[in-house]
Amino acid sequence: MKVRFIQRDGTVSEVTAADGARLLDIAQADNQPLEGTCEGDMACATCHVIVAAEDFARLPPASEEEEDMLDLAYGATRTSRLSCQITLNEALGTLTVTIPGGSRNMQGR
């Protein structure tokens, strides 16, 4: 499948991702500025992305724990997700995400 990253300055980067890959890992391999400080434990919001509206409904819904963390994410929108919680699969086709203009580390590091 394809993942399209829209960076803070509007630059677009498109990469191929394997079925079952975690979006955070794909983003970091593409040098996107997503920390993932808590390594997927949902204890920070440093992997927050904004999913394109047309792609958002194709993702499984966020858990209550993820929703709680997104409430604290910098620049969160209705289509915000934590990239550590998105497992990619071929059924998604192309997924477009925007990298927010900043991040807020809820771990206080």
Side-chain angles (χ1 to χ4, degrees):
M1 74 162 294
K2 299 279 186 202
V3 178
R4 184 176 302 121
F5 294 103
I6 302 174
Q7 298 165 21
R8 295 170 180 164
D9 65 1
T11 304
V12 176
S13 173
E14 188 171 287
V15 297
T16 301
D19 192 51
R22 188 171 67 158
L23 181 58
L24 175 60
D25 298 329
I26 298 304
Q28 289 176 332
D30 191 46
N31 296 314
Q32 297 299 322
L34 298 178
E35 283 183 53
T37 304
C38 72
E39 299 178 5
D41 288 337
M42 284 193 287
C44 73
T46 62
C47 71
H48 164 232
V49 294
I50 300 167
V51 178
E54 62 272 16
D55 297 340
F56 186 76
R58 294 195 321 259
L59 294 174
S63 67
E64 187 175 325
E65 188 178 5
E66 181 181 356
E67 289 285 348
D68 289 346
M69 190 54 56
L70 285 167
D71 287 342
L72 305 171
Y74 177 88
T77 71
R78 186 185 64 75
T79 63
S80 287
R81 292 294 302 268
L82 298 179
S83 63
C84 68
Q85 298 302 301
I86 297 175
T87 301
L88 303 170
N89 63 62
E90 292 296 327
L92 291 172
T94 298
L95 180 68
T96 300
V97 297
T98 299
I99 307 299
S103 68
R104 194 175 289 146
N105 185 352
M106 305 319 300
Q107 289 187 310
R109 290 184 185 169

